[in-house]
Amino acid sequence: MPDKGRGPVPLPIDEYLKGLHARFVDLRTGDVASYIPELAKANPDWFGICIATTDGRVYEVGDTRQPFTIQSISKPFVYGLAIEDQGREAVLAKIGVEPTGDAFNSISLEPGTGRPLNPMINAGAIAAASLVAGHSVEDRFYRVLSTFSLYAGRPLSVDRAVYESERDTGHRNRAIAHMLRNFDIITEQPDGPLDIYFQQCSISVDCHALSMMAATLANGGVNPLTGERAVRGECVEAMLSVMTTCGMYDYAGSWVYWVGMPAKSGVGGGILAVLPGQLGIAVFSPPLDEHGNSVRGVAVCKELSRELNLHFVGTPRASRSTMRSHYDVAAVRSKRVRTAPEREVLEETGNRARIYELQGDLTFAGVDAVVWQIVAKSAEFDCAILDLKRVTGIGEAASRTLLELVVGLSQHGKRLLLVHGPGHSRFLRFLAECLTGERHEWLLAFPDMDRALEWCEERLLAEHGAAARTPSSLPLSEHQLCQGLEPEAVSYLNRLLERRTFGTGELIVRKGDAADRFYLLTSGKVSVTIDLLIGQRQRVSTLSAGMTFGELSIVGNTERSADVRADEPTECYALSMEAFRALSKTRPDIKLVLLENLLRNASQTATRLTREIAALAQ
């Protein structure tokens, strides 16, 4: 079905970020940093939000490409480089890991040793800069800049005006550096490490680059887009640990309580946050609060954590990949046995109906990956099925994201079907409460995959005209089993058949009864079912006019293995096994044609099942 000129299906996360940005764009408290003259030139209205996932998707809204300087957000990255160069024990001997509860420029040194309490305060960051390996100050800073570029996935550069402003006004940092030299924490003249520090803080980034740096940390040190490693995986643990306890200075405790992600802020207006294994967040807005953190940045991160359930303590289990498998109706069909014209249409159009099997707990990052894949392919399908049978939990953020997917697809003439389990009643209730009025018909929920597949098949057949070519009844001469028989042979066979009619729901074949005849269906529909141990009835197949059932009695079954009921008023012909066997002597030509047609049907069934097994095994 065409999209009716409505453009591409929107991604729910894009729409969510637009709404989040709109909520806080008018939050105008806080002041732009002014102690460094160049920073005071920032526009307080700049505001961008960016989320990057560990599999390379980036969502952004607002001023995400506006350059600004990284400032103190540089600290954990240089700390990681120091650990990589010197080893963890050597760095710990120079820089502690205890939170101070003090401001970023506090002079927090360990009594007696002069060791900075952690690498996130200026004293610790200057000490970390001194530990970067290299033959000269220029060489060492080049390694810093190159490493930052690996994190960002693109070349970065220094804002020279900010660097010179920092260098010319950085008297307090000079005092800190000389104190560190006094305690032999820095073992060289302070000017070198200070210059590295001033330059690292002056590296120009934007919200997009910062989110990729965060996503690289979330991805164990490997950039999700370029695949290049920026830092060894064992260093990431140390970096994220100090970011958790010390990254937000004297707001660190409140940050962990309300947001619950390793993070780092900078007086340039940026905040970087990391949810390990899932995503990185960057927010940019220059006005700062009394702690030196972006006012809008803190507010946005609180909402993201709460609404998307990103707090590292509350994040659901994510031990397995959310996407289990995916395929289409051309590969896997419902239990509704189709006529030749229907099979032809479904062979040609089956890729217009997609199936996505999910598993485990649906976290925001997990369901986002699924939604992104569905939306990316939405121009290629008319309907999609989400199989939730193996899903063990659906969080609030995932529920809202799936709701927006239902709405977005439906508004573009497409449908999303949900196959649910008994534990999903709360999720279905949430959807029903949100999809009211005319939108109620958008909620298509099925207790099993079979019925959902049949719904998609019927839609495809209706849209491509196959339904009109599929008769609801047909004469015996046009039955599949009679293909190849001359009119005289059909008349002979007709004399052996018993015409039977059944009402809706009437039992035609009962499991356990003697298998003494088989049936040629000429009008209506029947379903073959078995009873499960859990008390439910499972459909094996649904047959329509022109098809045969009960034919397994030919191979000597002594009793029926399933029930057969009429789904609607039905007419069929019964051929007893006694009459069928007698054809070997009276009309072997007729029996040979019947056997050939039965074998053809069995071969088609075997081919379909083999293809389905191959698709499901991927």
Side-chain angles (χ1 to χ4, degrees), residues 108 112 571 578:
S108 297
E571 180 179 294
E578 182 180 356

Side-chain angles (χ1 to χ4, degrees), residues 20 36 50 71 97 102 181 191 212 215-216 238 263 271 289 293 397 402-403 438 450 502:
L20 185 65
I36 299 173
C50 206
Q71 297 299 322
V97 292
D102 296 328
R181 178 67 185 92
D191 289 346
M212 287 309 305
T216 299
I271 290 183
D289 61 19
N293 302 321
L402 292 177
L403 168 66
E438 294 181 354
D450 184 32
F502 301 90

Side-chain angles (χ1 to χ4, degrees), residues 296-307:
R296 290 193 187 107
V298 171
V300 165
C301 288
K302 282 184 178 179
E303 288 298 282
L304 285 171
S305 179
R306 182 180 65 85
E307 294 182 340

Side-chain angles (χ1 to χ4, degrees), residues 375-616:
V375 170
K377 296 289 186 181
S378 60
E380 303 173 15
F381 65 73
D382 301 322
C383 48
I385 301 173
L386 275 188
D387 185 356
L388 306 175
K389 283 285 193 179
R390 297 177 181 83
V391 169
T392 50
I394 305 176
E396 184 179 342
S399 296
R400 288 197 304 271
T401 301
L402 292 177
L403 168 66
E404 293 303 318
L405 180 62
V406 171
V407 172
L409 290 175
S410 299
Q411 289 176 335
H412 285 72
K414 304 175 186 295
R415 304 305 294 271
L416 182 69
L417 290 69
L418 304 171
V419 177
H420 60 87
H424 302 145
S425 56
R426 182 177 179 181
F427 169 60
L428 295 176
R429 206 161 47 242
F430 165 76
L431 294 181
E433 290 170 355
C434 295
L435 297 172
T436 57
E438 294 181 354
R439 303 199 310 173
H440 181 70
E441 66 176 22
W442 295 350
L443 177 55
L444 295 171
F446 298 83
D448 60 72
M449 174 61 73
D450 184 32
R451 297 296 180 180
L453 286 170
E454 184 176 6
W455 190 97
C456 290
E457 291 169 358
E458 292 296 315
R459 172 165 173 156
L460 293 176
L461 293 171
E463 290 177 353
H464 296 276
R469 303 197 301 269
T470 304
S472 58
S473 63
L474 76 172
L476 179 64
S477 60
E478 296 181 15
H479 194 281
Q480 291 177 358
L481 203 61
C482 297
Q483 291 179 14
L485 289 179
E486 297 294 332
E488 175 275 329
V490 174
S491 297
Y492 184 92
L493 180 63
N494 191 30
R495 293 194 293 272
L496 304 178
L497 298 173
E498 177 188 358
R499 183 174 178 272
R500 304 281 300 276
T501 59
F502 301 90
T504 302
E506 189 172 350
L507 191 64
I508 303 173
V509 169
R510 185 190 304 276
K511 180 182 178 180
D513 286 353
D516 56 356
R517 67 193 65 228
F518 63 94
Y519 298 83
L520 287 70
L521 185 58
T522 56
S523 176
K525 286 192 306 183
V526 302
S527 285
V528 183
T529 63
I530 57 174
D531 292 329
L532 303 178
L533 294 177
I534 58 176
Q536 295 179 347
R537 182 176 293 167
Q538 175 71 48
R539 178 169 73 157
V540 177
S541 61
T542 293
L543 311 170
S544 54
M547 300 176 186
T548 306
F549 60 93
E551 68 272 24
L552 288 179
S553 56
I554 294 173
V555 296
N557 282 7
T558 56
E559 62 180 37
R560 302 293 186 188
S561 59
D563 295 333
V564 182
R565 285 182 173 81
D567 294 333
E568 59 188 38
T570 296
E571 180 179 294
C572 55
Y573 290 88
L575 179 62
S576 68
M577 287 309 303
E578 182 180 356
F580 180 76
R581 293 190 184 103
L583 287 172
S584 298
K585 295 181 179 180
T586 59
R587 294 295 301 268
D589 58 322
I590 295 178
K591 185 169 185 179
L592 179 61
V593 171
L594 296 181
L595 286 172
E596 287 178 346
N597 289 335
L598 288 171
L599 183 60
R600 183 183 304 110
N601 290 342
S603 176
Q604 290 173 348
T605 300
T607 299
R608 175 176 60 83
L609 293 176
T610 299
R611 182 174 55 190
E612 291 184 6
I613 291 171
L616 294 172

Side-chain angles (χ1 to χ4, degrees), residues 29-46 267-269 285-289:
T29 58
D31 299 300
V32 174
S34 59
Y35 71 95
I36 299 173
E38 281 295 317
L39 297 186
K41 299 177 181 179
N43 186 339
D45 291 333
W46 287 336
V267 294
S285 176
L288 310 178
D289 61 19

